[in-house]
Amino acid sequence: MSEPRDVARAAAKADAARAAAKMDVARLGVAVLGTSLIGYGAWLHYPPAGFVAAGALLYAIAMIGALRTR
């Protein structure tokens, strides 16, 4: 008798997983766009600053990623 309930629960979990995956993709897209705009804005002000800003952001992302794995 609990089979329909189990199927419904499994479907709900699958839907939640799909929604979480979509949010991860959206979050990554916004992060890439934001990083690009920061680098471009710095480059418009002073061209070498665009590369410095992009490098600093990539370094910060790498450090955060390394610290999160611990």
Side-chain angles (χ1 to χ4, degrees), residues 1-67:
M1 289 210 179
S2 65
E3 288 180 18
R5 209 174 340 175
D6 292 340
V7 171
R9 218 177 269 151
K13 283 185 180 181
D15 288 343
R18 272 190 232 103
K22 286 180 184 178
M23 286 303 296
D24 286 343
V25 169
R27 190 177 302 121
L28 180 62
V30 169
V32 168
L33 180 64
T35 303
S36 301
L37 289 174
I38 288 171
Y40 182 67
W43 180 80
L44 285 176
H45 179 66
Y46 179 63
F51 297 107
V52 172
L57 286 168
L58 289 175
Y59 177 75
I61 290 169
M63 290 301 296
I64 289 169
L67 293 174

